[in-house]
Amino acid sequence: MRSLLLLLSRSGRLRRWIEASRLARRMASRFVAGDLLPDALAVGRRINGQGMFVTFDHLGENVTLVEEAAASREVYLRTLDEIAVSRMRANVSIKLTQFGMDVSEQACRANVEQLVCRAADLGSFVRVDMESSVYTTRTLALVTQLHERYGSVGTVIQAYLYRSRADIEALCERGIRVRLCKGAYLEPEEVAFRRKSEVDRNYIELMEILLTRGVYPAIATHDPRMIDATREFARRHDIPRNGFEFQMLYGIRRDLQRQLAAEDYRVRVYVPFGRAWYPYFMRRLAERPANVLFLAKNLLRN
Ligand code: FDA
């Protein structure tokens, strides 16, 4: 089921059908703050008010025109400015394919550099999300270069990839901030663990490296077992609660988000906004088959 949904997340025809469905839109709104930046800022302010941090994601990926990439950059520049003006406790998360990686690597680099430079000026931070393994090497190379120059950028490592241990070691050595997640894309078995038990085991091993040697790591998961392992490891090694943060997605396990914040852990909520919600929504469905059955039954009925 997971593989099928991830495959369908690339289908243009299904995308048009799903995006036109009012039910799917309603379901997607559970995971997406709204179409526009003011919608996202309103959600962000509410989350800040609950004692949690935010990272904003303007939805969109795999753009095919340099103009689209430039438009994404502009939305993100505005987002950073708004965060600064309203003094929100927030930063931004971007995808390189949204900044033009598939069109022109040079244009992509220039777009990201502009954003990272603005973040440095504003004392903010840009997180470069990790997409499928086709982009891993290029993502790490770009982040490493920009980090050397500006500092205000970090990235994401996916526990399902075999290469991740080596990548984390290199990033820790360079003092680059890492968000650790399990990984959300369809990957061949030559590059990624298939079984959940293997991904979880690797997640815990990588979390321990990050908490010991990383710079302000982000432990991104809704899995109570991963969260408990992190809390336990931090307790045993006297790592203070403000030395790392938990991150979760908007609309998922709000109860757990609030509970951790109430226990004085740092929690950052990933808040997506924008009209291009289809691939993001499909990845969320792939993580929770119960959601899919509900959607499929109702779509077929309508
Ligand atoms: P797991 O999938 O095992 O889920 C554990 C439990 O969490 C489930 O039993 C359920 O209760 C709940 N849950 C998880 N997903 C749910 C959903 N969609 N709906 C309802 N409940 C759900 N991936 C990537 O490849 N690149 C990236 O850059 C990022 N960035 C990122 C940022 C942040 C802040 C988070 C939290 C996650 C990502 N991810 C990501 C996604 C990540 O790789 C992964 O797919 C999801 O977080 C689901 O994995 P869990 O760790 O939550 O565990």
Side-chain angles (χ1 to χ4, degrees):
M1 177 70 102
R2 176 178 182 272
S3 306
L4 176 66
L5 283 163
L6 292 177
L7 209 64
L8 291 175
S9 73
R10 301 180 201 150
S11 156
R13 196 182 290 180
L14 186 66
R15 179 176 190 152
R16 281 187 291 280
W17 189 50
I18 294 272
E19 281 182 347
S21 149
R22 253 198 281 155
L23 174 71
R25 247 192 112 74
R26 215 171 50 236
M27 274 188 80
S29 71
R30 175 185 155 193
F31 303 117
V32 177
D35 282 353
L36 302 171
L37 178 57
D39 303 326
L41 293 171
V43 167
R45 270 191 286 275
R46 207 173 64 226
I47 292 170
N48 273 181
Q50 293 166 346
M52 297 184 279
F53 300 81
V54 170
T55 186
F56 290 113
D57 163 38
H58 181 239
L59 292 165
E61 49 203 86
N62 297 105
V63 303
T64 52
L65 299 169
V66 281
E67 292 78 9
E68 287 177 291
S72 297
R73 181 198 63 214
E74 291 307 306
V75 174
Y76 270 108
L77 285 169
R78 252 198 339 273
T79 307
L80 280 182
D81 289 344
E82 290 286 343
I83 291 171
V85 168
S86 52
R87 296 170 175 268
M88 288 184 71
R89 285 171 295 151
N91 59 37
V92 294
S93 291
I94 68 169
K95 290 190 171 48
L96 291 189
T97 64
Q98 183 182 18
F99 275 62
M101 183 56 103
D102 290 334
V103 191
S104 150
E105 220 166 307
Q106 211 184 346
C108 175
R109 181 183 308 269
N111 285 330
V112 180
E113 181 159 7
Q114 226 177 302
L115 190 71
V116 171
C117 177
R118 178 75 62 91
D121 286 346
L122 295 170
S124 189
F125 178 75
V126 176
R127 176 83 61 181
V128 180
D129 285 354
M130 194 56 82
E131 299 176 71
S132 82
S133 60
V134 175
Y135 302 103
T136 310
T137 300
R138 284 177 283 171
T139 303
L140 295 177
L142 180 54
V143 167
T144 302
Q145 272 179 14
L146 292 179
H147 182 268
E148 251 169 45
R149 180 135 189 226
Y150 301 98
S152 50
V153 62
T155 191
V156 179
I157 290 293
Q158 298 150 323
Y160 65 14
L161 294 185
Y162 304 139
R163 58 177 287 171
S164 289
R165 173 183 283 262
D167 289 336
I168 277 204
E169 306 258 2
L171 290 164
C172 286
E173 213 156 279
R174 293 190 162 91
I176 299 176
R177 276 164 64 174
V178 173
R179 169 200 298 152
L180 178 64
C181 68
K182 289 192 186 178
Y185 295 82
L186 188 58
E187 296 291 355
E189 59 188 338
E190 294 79 55
V191 302
F193 295 109
R194 277 294 165 86
R195 272 192 243 123
K196 178 172 160 55
S197 58
E198 293 174 318
V199 178
D200 287 357
R201 183 179 37 75
N202 202 37
Y203 192 100
I204 290 176
E205 286 175 19
L206 299 180
M207 172 274 288
E208 292 180 357
I209 297 176
L210 273 182
L211 254 57
T212 317
R213 279 182 275 143
V215 176
Y216 191 58
I219 305 303
T221 182
H222 317 91
D223 186 338
R225 286 186 45 245
M226 303 298 110
I227 291 169
D228 286 348
T230 306
R231 283 147 53 117
E232 181 53 23
F233 184 83
R235 195 187 56 75
R236 266 192 286 122
H237 292 80
D238 287 328
I239 297 162
R241 290 185 186 196
N242 62 6
F244 63 97
E245 64 184 32
F246 288 111
Q247 294 191 351
M248 292 188 218
L249 302 177
Y250 176 67
I252 301 182
R253 294 300 315 262
R254 286 178 205 189
D255 55 334
L256 195 50
Q257 296 174 12
R258 292 205 198 108
Q259 183 198 320
L260 288 168
E263 290 173 21
D264 268 349
Y265 286 100
R266 290 193 172 196
V267 178
R268 188 177 300 272
V269 182
Y270 184 104
V271 176
F273 68 100
R275 294 196 172 93
W277 48 266
Y278 173 77
Y280 181 86
F281 176 57
M282 292 298 279
R283 289 197 292 277
R284 303 294 75 85
L285 289 187
E287 288 154 3
R288 194 104 201 282
N291 292 342
V292 186
L293 295 178
F294 176 79
L295 178 66
K297 255 196 276 173
N298 285 281
L299 278 178
L300 292 174
R301 203 178 290 154
N302 289 332

